[in-house]
Amino acid sequence: MATRSLWRAKLALSATALLGGAAAATITTSEDPAMTMKLYSTVPVRLFRDSVAAAAIAFDYEYSLWGLPEGSIERSKAKHEVHLRSARKLQELCFKNGGIYIKLGQHIGQLEYLVPEEYVQTMRESMLNKCPVSTYEQVCEVIEKELGDKPDKIFSEFDPVPIASASLAQVHVARTHDGQKVAVKVQHTHMTDTAAADCATVNVIVNTLHRVFPSFDYRWLIVEMRESLPKELDFLNEAKNSEKCLHNFLKLSPRIAAYVYAPKVYWNLSTSKLLTMEFIDGAQVNDVKTIKKLGIRPDEVARLVSETFAEMMFKHGFVHCDPHAANLLVRPLPSSRKSILGKRIPQLVLLDHGLYKELDNETRTNYAALWKALIFADADAIKENSAKLGAGEDLYALFAGILTMRPWNRVIDPAVDHLVIQGNDSDRSELQMYASQYFPQITELLRRLPRVILLMLKTNDCLRSVSNVLLQEPSLETFMIVGRISSEAIIEAKLQKRSFLSWLSACVDEILLEVRLFTMRVALWLLRLRKMSWQLALK
């Protein structure tokens, strides 16, 4: 009887969500009759799928966990199985609906340890490699509408087969009439027509699950997508972001500006739905084999990636928030020559500049201060700066754990390698248990934090994944880079206040920084020496 009542409640809730989503979709309709027709022909189908999926997932959790005591082995096993089933249902829904649902799935796949591991793995294994592909006829339609003629007229050559496809667009190789090889990014035709309505329908799943499970509150993800998607769909905005990014490196980080690059934009061949850029030959940042063939050391690439994004986060306050492997290319620095040993200096090429976030000066400085405290195991500063960023007096340890993927006792351990993750099964199990045990608190923390910091968490997860592939083993050097640049950002902020006390404090900080970095370098050298001794002893 109770189960039947529960099922009735789920159906009623789904119906309510369906009507609410339909109303939201109606609000998004355009005065354009063709668009309205498309909306009314596609939205009801997607709304129905969303409602069925949301109700099925909610019922599965409620039914599967019914009566199983918290902390029991039976509940833990049942929760794993229902997580897996629900992740597959969500995956299937994303593929059926396409569009921004693929983007949502990709986003979930990058929220390591912020959502259950089963969701992360399911989405990560499929979403990056199975994006929709527009037909050549659809591509021609977009190009003709945007540039006034067909591809074979606009370009001297145009490959009809895309070299890459993502959730919002796909890329074709072409050649301009003056012989320049270019990459042409063409927006999928359906995105313009259904993006606004899709945002409304995605609400159905998240809001329904939140009503059934109040502790499952990921509504911030929908708000973030609603704000970010129009910017990502405007390719002229993406072009401006790429130029601003390079300008920031030239102005604020001249020391590494030559080692960071973004493809040149052909403005006369670009619109809000079509972007023509310089074609760059390079290896994806996770393609270690090709990187080595280019004569580049993977550990140098890992250091460059860490330095690039640390500069963006702590000094520029203008951060590329989608640094997964497909968006980071590596090539030899064009101006460099091979060393005697045949090695080349790496240059990092940043692609897909649609998703950037700006950190205001206060947030940027507090975030830099937090990372400095994390690197140097300063418990008081961690608490202080976590509170400044919104974690409060009660969730600072959890916030530190999410940022570093280490439990609190390791975060404040004075050992120089306290944040290094060994990457073994024991470490991985500990992290997954940590995330599962504190899931309600994690949800509450995500609700409190500013959305710009939530995007930093996603960016950190992407960068951690890239670093793990490049280094193949735990490394202290990337933490040294983060510690140095975050400390420099704080010193620069103090110097900008133009007072004697601020100048004196900055000088003291600089001396302490050099001492700490020297200590870490010595410790790193000793660790390497110890490792070599072990290897020799084993032989």
Side-chain angles (χ1 to χ4, degrees):
M1 186 73 178
T3 303
R4 193 179 304 160
S5 299
L6 181 65
W7 183 235
R8 275 201 213 101
K10 298 295 183 294
L11 287 176
L13 187 56
S14 298
T16 303
L18 181 63
L19 292 172
T26 302
I27 292 170
T28 63
T29 55
S30 167
E31 293 180 1
D32 182 350
M35 176 178 281
T36 304
M37 187 67 184
K38 286 182 179 179
L39 288 172
Y40 275 105
S41 62
T42 58
V43 170
V45 175
R46 296 183 186 201
L47 277 169
F48 178 74
R49 286 179 188 149
D50 288 358
S51 299
V52 169
I57 290 171
F59 180 74
D60 196 0
Y61 272 100
E62 202 73 63
Y63 180 79
S64 300
L65 302 179
W66 187 279
L68 297 178
E70 284 287 350
S72 66
I73 296 174
E74 293 80 6
R75 186 179 179 87
S76 178
K77 183 180 178 182
K79 187 182 287 187
H80 166 72
E81 290 171 353
V82 74
H83 279 336
L84 201 56
R85 287 195 301 272
S86 300
R88 287 169 180 163
K89 288 187 182 82
L90 187 57
Q91 177 195 50
E92 183 182 359
L93 179 72
C94 289
F95 282 137
K96 281 183 178 178
N97 283 348
I100 70 164
Y101 289 82
I102 299 291
K103 194 78 176 172
L104 176 65
Q106 290 174 346
H107 197 74
I108 291 171
Q110 291 166 345
L111 294 175
E112 194 170 15
Y113 308 117
L114 298 183
V115 296
E117 176 73 7
E118 293 82 0
Y119 284 85
V120 172
Q121 289 302 324
T122 300
M123 298 302 170
R124 187 174 287 178
E125 289 167 3
S126 58
M127 290 295 162
L128 287 175
N129 300 319
K130 295 183 180 179
C131 290
V133 178
S134 294
T135 65
Y136 183 57
E137 288 72 22
Q138 291 172 322
V139 170
C140 290
E141 180 187 333
V142 173
I143 293 177
E144 188 168 10
K145 184 177 179 181
E146 295 301 308
L147 298 179
D149 216 331
K150 294 189 181 299
D152 56 355
K153 301 293 184 184
I154 300 294
F155 302 95
S156 63
E157 297 175 22
F158 189 91
D159 190 341
V161 179
I163 58 167
S165 183
S167 55
L168 306 183
Q170 62 192 48
V171 179
H172 293 258
V173 178
R175 199 171 290 276
T176 62
H177 286 291
D178 62 356
Q180 298 298 314
K181 190 176 183 181
V182 293
V184 184
K185 184 175 179 179
V186 184
Q187 196 170 114
H188 294 309
T189 52
H190 64 274
M191 289 307 304
T192 305
D193 299 332
T194 62
D198 280 351
C199 278
T201 59
V202 166
N203 269 317
V204 173
I205 298 177
V206 175
N207 281 310
T208 299
L209 289 174
H210 174 60
R211 287 170 189 156
V212 177
F213 307 107
S215 64
F216 188 94
D217 190 359
Y218 281 79
R219 289 174 295 176
W220 58 267
L221 184 59
I222 304 304
V223 176
E224 180 56 44
M225 287 188 65
R226 190 183 297 124
E227 288 186 8
S228 298
L229 190 63
K231 296 176 183 177
E232 291 190 76
L233 288 172
D234 182 358
F235 290 172
L236 292 179
N237 178 66
E238 177 179 342
K240 291 173 186 173
N241 285 344
S242 70
E243 293 196 342
K244 182 175 179 178
C245 172
L246 289 187
H247 174 74
N248 284 344
F249 276 98
L250 288 169
K251 182 182 177 182
L252 303 172
S253 308
R255 190 174 55 80
I256 66 165
Y259 308 102
V260 182
Y261 191 73
K264 170 189 169 186
V265 175
Y266 288 76
W267 289 95
N268 62 320
L269 296 173
S270 299
T271 71
S272 62
K273 297 179 179 61
L274 185 143
L275 182 59
T276 304
M277 303 160 286
E278 170 189 8
F279 183 88
I280 302 289
D281 274 313
Q284 282 194 6
V285 75
N286 63 345
D287 188 353
V288 176
K289 187 176 180 181
T290 303
I291 288 172
K292 288 180 178 177
K293 281 183 179 178
L294 292 171
I296 297 171
R297 288 173 49 184
D299 62 315
E300 289 189 0
V301 177
R303 285 197 291 271
L304 179 56
V305 171
S306 295
E307 197 162 8
T308 297
F309 282 87
E311 293 279 343
M312 281 196 233
M313 287 187 278
F314 305 135
K315 293 186 179 179
H316 304 178
F318 186 68
V319 187
H320 186 307
C321 287
D322 202 11
H324 60 73
N327 289 340
L328 304 177
L329 295 183
V330 181
R331 67 175 181 177
L333 184 68
S335 60
S336 70
R337 295 181 179 179
K338 285 185 179 180
S339 68
I340 298 174
L341 299 175
K343 297 299 179 184
R344 298 289 298 273
I345 298 171
Q347 185 183 60
L348 182 67
V349 181
L350 303 176
L351 305 179
D352 195 351
H353 298 263
L355 183 58
Y356 270 74
K357 281 294 174 183
E358 293 195 53
L359 286 75
D360 61 70
N361 285 335
E362 184 180 3
T363 302
R364 177 177 61 80
T365 305
N366 290 337
Y367 192 56
L370 175 58
W371 266 106
K372 175 189 173 185
L374 291 168
I375 300 299
F376 298 124
D378 186 339
D380 290 336
I382 292 171
K383 294 176 186 178
E384 179 187 345
N385 289 288
S386 293
K388 286 180 180 178
L389 289 168
E393 297 291 332
D394 54 336
L395 295 179
Y396 62 86
L398 182 61
F399 189 24
I402 288 173
L403 283 169
T404 62
M405 294 295 107
R406 310 305 290 140
W408 179 248
N409 65 316
R410 287 289 291 164
V411 170
I412 58 173
D413 188 330
V416 71
D417 60 344
H418 67 121
L419 295 183
V420 175
I421 300 174
Q422 299 303 318
N424 53 34
D425 289 338
S426 174
D427 252 358
R428 207 170 289 114
S429 298
E430 181 184 14
L431 292 171
Q432 290 170 10
M433 179 192 71
Y434 190 68
S436 177
Q437 184 178 354
Y438 295 104
F439 183 72
Q441 290 90 336
I442 289 175
T443 304
E444 171 61 17
L445 177 64
L446 299 182
R447 187 189 66 78
R448 290 185 194 178
L449 293 174
R451 286 205 307 279
V452 68
I453 296 299
L454 297 178
L455 264 291
M456 294 305 102
L457 297 181
K458 174 201 169 188
T459 302
N460 285 336
D461 281 340
C462 289
L463 295 173
R464 189 179 293 112
S465 176
V466 167
S467 181
N468 289 342
V469 172
L470 286 168
L471 295 173
Q472 302 289 311
E473 61 181 15
S475 172
L476 180 60
E477 290 183 81
T478 54
F479 290 105
M480 289 175 62
I481 290 168
V482 171
R484 174 176 58 81
I485 296 174
S486 60
S487 298
E488 288 173 355
I490 296 165
I491 292 169
E492 289 171 8
K494 287 182 177 180
L495 290 174
Q496 286 173 0
K497 292 181 179 178
R498 299 182 182 276
S499 72
F500 176 74
L501 287 177
S502 295
W503 176 83
L504 186 61
S505 176
C507 290
V508 172
D509 282 354
E510 196 157 4
I511 294 169
L512 289 174
L513 173 62
E514 291 303 323
V515 171
R516 283 169 166 169
L517 290 177
F518 176 76
T519 304
M520 291 181 80
R521 289 189 191 101
V522 171
L524 179 60
W525 183 79
L526 290 174
L527 286 171
R528 286 175 174 168
L529 191 63
R530 189 184 307 166
K531 183 179 177 182
M532 289 172 61
S533 300
W534 287 341
Q535 289 173 342
L536 288 171
L538 288 172
K539 289 180 180 179

